[in-house]
Amino acid sequence: MSKFILACRGEGHWGSREEDNSKIDLIFSFEHPWASGERMMVLCQVKSGNSYGSLTENGFELKSKAKAAAIRSSHQICVVWIDRNERKAFWAYIHPDSVARAQKYGAYHEVTPATKFDLARCISMARSGSKGAKGLHIRRRDTPIAIRRKTVKGRYQDIRTVRSPVLGEIELGRVGWRHMFRKGRRKEGKIRSLEIIPYLHRLLPRWPTTHAITSSSEFKVNGYTYQVREHLLKFDELTVSSKNEEVREDLCAHVRVREEICYPNDWESVVMLSQQVKRRIVLKSAYYK
């Protein structure tokens, strides 16, 4: 578990039978990666052996026995499964309303310095309250697309960054603009991106209705490991209207972002680790349908 605490740059202590009837093995906290001055509290159960988990080709599988043990608690639980043969540790964040059936997780669930950002994302998604785009009203305009594109581009450059409660700072840069208005994209898709871009500063600070990692990859260069992931955020109940069409209140905003995390290959032995872990999130596309 020292590896887990080191990866998150946290502080913690072992649980006791008197406190939780042995349901919690480790209690630790760490500084929130994008909410300044806030610390995250994580409750962990540590498991090992084939009855609780197993390695897969692209990650690991957490067995139903381990999930059932975590769900017995009324709290969100981070289950850490240890493969003793490979000397690897994997994590899974379990909510009280999770289903107690075996589940496979991707390679990014191996404990690394990137885990800190993943835990912050999972804990943020556990927040209760309103989610989605309800109350956000987008007006479709009949301005020629060439003129509209020039106006929206200036607005896009002015926004620059937006704070998401589940991902942190998202950069609005050339990568996203070029992707949304690439030559091969359909005209209707470009128009819908132009219409939603001016509202990104109001949309992205909301909690998404659903959030999924659609792809992930990892590579090593010059002594550093790079983890690259693509996220899809969906915001339901978006309202769109125009002069010639009736109001639609059942549309969904789709926002795709690219997350890049970099840390030293030998992070378990490197000094001043927190200063060598880098993270960047950039907007890839935004549209509605």
Side-chain angles (χ1 to χ4, degrees), residues 105-122:
Y105 296 87
Y108 63 89
H109 277 264
E110 183 177 355
V111 173
T112 69
T115 302
K116 178 178 182 177
F117 305 108
D118 291 315
L119 288 177
R121 168 175 53 82
C122 293

Side-chain angles (χ1 to χ4, degrees), residues 1-280:
M1 287 308 298
S2 61
K3 180 177 182 178
F4 191 44
I5 295 178
L6 174 63
C8 297
R9 283 81 74 202
E11 300 175 354
H13 63 86
W14 293 103
S16 65
R17 186 174 298 275
E18 289 76 12
E19 290 178 342
D20 51 38
N21 195 26
S22 72
K23 292 181 181 178
I24 306 300
D25 297 315
L26 177 71
I27 304 172
F28 83 102
S29 66
F30 59 90
E31 185 178 352
H32 198 293
W34 58 78
S36 179
E38 182 179 341
R39 291 190 69 84
M40 310 296 289
M41 181 71 70
V42 182
L43 306 179
C44 297
Q45 287 185 1
V46 184
K47 305 294 183 183
S48 64
N50 295 332
S51 60
Y52 291 106
S54 62
L55 290 178
T56 63
E57 183 178 356
N58 298 312
F60 89 111
E61 180 180 17
L62 187 66
K63 301 295 180 64
S64 59
K65 184 177 180 180
K67 292 188 70 176
I71 296 172
R72 283 186 304 168
S73 172
S74 60
H75 305 284
Q76 291 87 28
I77 302 294
C78 180
V79 178
V80 180
W81 179 75
I82 301 171
D83 181 76
R84 296 174 178 173
N85 297 326
E86 297 292 333
R87 300 177 62 86
K88 292 182 177 180
F90 296 85
W91 65 275
Y93 202 75
I94 310 298
H95 302 278
D97 56 353
S98 297
V99 178
R101 62 169 177 261
Q103 185 172 350
K104 293 183 179 180
Y105 296 87
Y108 63 89
H109 277 264
E110 183 177 355
V111 173
T112 69
T115 302
K116 178 178 182 177
F117 305 108
D118 291 315
L119 288 177
R121 168 175 53 82
C122 293
I123 292 173
S124 297
M125 287 301 297
R127 175 188 179 274
S128 61
S130 60
K131 297 180 180 180
K134 187 175 183 178
L136 186 61
H137 192 153
I138 293 178
R139 287 198 306 152
R140 298 200 69 172
R141 304 177 186 274
D142 54 7
T143 310
I145 188 172
I147 298 176
R148 181 71 176 147
R149 178 170 174 170
K150 183 177 180 180
T151 303
V152 172
K153 187 174 184 180
R155 183 66 180 277
Y156 182 83
Q157 293 172 334
D158 289 340
I159 297 176
R160 295 189 179 182
T161 62
V162 182
R163 173 70 65 85
S164 165
V166 295
L167 289 174
E169 293 288 343
I170 299 176
E171 299 178 21
L172 278 59
R174 289 182 296 176
V175 173
W177 185 266
R178 290 175 178 176
H179 182 76
M180 286 185 284
F181 302 102
R182 61 192 183 276
K183 185 177 180 180
R185 193 183 183 200
R186 294 175 54 190
K187 181 179 178 181
E188 180 62 24
K190 294 179 181 179
I191 291 175
R192 294 191 172 191
S193 290
L194 286 174
E195 290 168 350
I196 201 172
I197 284 174
Y199 298 88
L200 288 178
H201 69 293
R202 294 173 56 191
L203 179 67
L204 289 176
R206 298 168 177 243
W207 270 264
T209 308
T210 59
H211 177 192
I213 296 178
T214 57
S215 67
S216 64
S217 61
E218 179 181 304
F219 59 92
K220 301 179 187 295
V221 177
N222 297 328
Y224 282 83
T225 298
Y226 292 81
Q227 290 193 22
V228 180
R229 306 166 191 171
E230 290 197 1
H231 299 255
L232 173 59
L233 310 178
K234 292 184 179 181
F235 301 83
D236 290 344
E237 299 185 79
L238 177 69
T239 301
V240 178
S241 65
S242 66
K243 292 182 180 179
N244 302 322
E245 299 178 3
E246 62 181 48
V247 177
R248 291 285 303 277
E249 298 180 345
D250 58 345
L251 296 173
C252 180
H254 291 62
V255 178
R256 296 181 181 274
V257 300
R258 176 185 173 93
E259 179 184 33
E260 302 173 358
I261 305 174
C262 170
Y263 53 88
N265 294 341
D266 57 346
W267 60 269
E268 292 186 62
S269 58
V270 72
V271 297
M272 301 180 72
L273 175 62
S274 60
Q275 298 181 23
Q276 299 188 54
V277 178
K278 307 297 182 183
R279 180 176 181 256
R280 184 188 183 197

